[in-house]
């Protein structure tokens, strides 16, 4: 049996623990060595507290066996307690980003401390100070450099990282965090750019869109094309361009919407089918079927002078299946790239979509 991977806790849980410790220190005069934080999922973490200076406490993030860019960072908090009753005010200190684009869970101009961490912080602090008003300053000393390795810039979060977490727990190998990030970026695109968006399987597709069409912002979906299409339908998008290397983006032509290689292959079979539909002879089809890579298939089709026709046919079918996935509510265009990041096929609706895009 495989050993169970160890869970960790989010930056939001760290912030709640640091804020709680600060509140205890300020009200009792004693620095607690540990703080207990209950997460929204019901699990309680006992967090070690690091004193920074009087009233400022830190917690080091432990992501368990899910090692990301924020693992090991210090999240600090200072709770400033007032004598009157009132609301909590959240202030972003050094290393905590500021929201600059609409469509995220936090309004423009606010520190990027997400709603669940805010609730956790307030619940923890109010357990000590009751209904008194308080300010809490959350900082991450090296947050600005950490943010350069994250997707924050794509989301319009500048100056540092986001304080995140929906459950308070980091679960290793859980795709939920990735999907949550994709959905958040789609929401930002919907608010900023209207009913058009571009999505790309990876950075090469994003670069192609920028260089070829001047589209400077695309949502990276990794392998989760079906999830992206579902979310786009839910959010009311009307036009989408989906781009990626043909090794991945051929799969929707067979109605495969999770593009991970562990889920399904089928690229050769798809190309055999569309080669036959485009009039390729049996010898070409057999050579494609015997190929080990998509690159080999491309070379065979180029030598036979039918690559453009075959990949256009496959892109058309991929687009058709993507449109069906959205219940025909979204006009989805598909672009296939070769290994040199050059377009090898596109669906017929691409030009129409580009003419109607709202950017």
């Amino acid at each position: 049996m495989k050993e169970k991977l160890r869970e960790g806790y989010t930056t939001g849980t760290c912030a709640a623990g640091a804020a709680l410790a600060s509140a205890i220190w300020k009200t009792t005069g004693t620095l607690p060595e540990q703080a207990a934080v209950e997460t929204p999922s019901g699990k309680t973490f006992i967090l070690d507290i690091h004193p920074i200076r009087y009233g400022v406490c830190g917690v080091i993030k432990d992501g368990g066996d899910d090692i990301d860019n924020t693992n090991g960072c210090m999240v600090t908090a200072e709770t400033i307690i007032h004598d009157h009753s009132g609301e909590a005010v959240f202030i972003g200190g050094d290393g905590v980003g500021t929201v600059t684009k609409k469509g995220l869970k936090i309004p423009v101009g606010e520190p990027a401390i997400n709603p669940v961490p805010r609730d956790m912080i307030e619940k923890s602090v109010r357990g000590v100070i009751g209904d008194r008003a308080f300010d809490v300053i959350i900082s991450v000393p090296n947050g600005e450099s950490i943010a350069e390795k994250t997707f924050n810039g794509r989301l319009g979060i500048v100056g540092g990282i986001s304080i995140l977490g929906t459950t308070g727990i980091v679960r290793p190998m859980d795709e939920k965090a990735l999907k949550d990030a994709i959905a958040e970026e789609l929401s930002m695109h919907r608010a900023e750019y209207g009913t058009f968006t571009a999505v790309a399987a990876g950075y090469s597709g994003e670069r192609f869109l920028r260089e070829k069409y001047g589209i400077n912002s695309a949502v990276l979906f990794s392998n989760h094309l079906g999830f992206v299409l579902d979310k786009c339908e839910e959010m009311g998008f009307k036009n989408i361009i989906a781009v990626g290397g043909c090794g991945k983006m051929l799969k929707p032509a067979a109605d495969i919407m999770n593009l991970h290689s562990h889920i399904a292959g089928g690229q050769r079979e798809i190309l055999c089918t569309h080669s036959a539909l485009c009039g390729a002879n049996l010898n070409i089809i057999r050579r494609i079927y015997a190929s080990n890579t998509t690159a080999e298939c491309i070379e065979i089709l180029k030598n036979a002078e039918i690559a453009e026709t075959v990949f256009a046919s496959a892109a058309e079918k991929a687009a058709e299946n993507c449109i069906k996935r959205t219940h025909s509510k979204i006009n989805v265009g598909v672009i296939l790239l070769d290994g040199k990041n050059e377009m090898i096929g596109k669906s017929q609706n691409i030009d129409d979509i580009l003419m109607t895009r709202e950017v």
Side-chain angles (χ1 to χ4, degrees), residues 11-26:
T11 50
T13 298
C14 294
L20 170 58
S22 174
I24 293 171
W25 196 356
K26 291 282 188 78

Side-chain angles (χ1 to χ4, degrees), residues 175 223-224 248 251 256-265:
E175 291 184 344
N223 297 303
H224 302 293
K248 283 184 183 289
K251 294 180 184 181
I256 299 167
M257 296 296 173
N258 185 324
L259 309 186
H260 199 292
S261 58
H262 291 169
I263 301 297

Side-chain angles (χ1 to χ4, degrees), residues 298-322:
I298 292 172
E299 194 64 28
I300 291 167
L301 291 167
K302 282 185 174 180
N303 290 338
E305 299 183 347
I306 57 171
E308 183 178 346
T309 304
V310 170
F311 282 101
S313 176
E316 196 66 31
K317 187 61 179 178
E320 177 186 322
N321 286 336
C322 289

Side-chain angles (χ1 to χ4, degrees), residues 26 72 81 101 168 187 201 210 243 300 312 327 336-337:
K26 291 282 188 78
I81 305 163
K101 292 184 178 181
S187 177
R210 182 173 59 250
V243 60
I300 291 167
H327 305 92
L336 306 176
L337 305 178

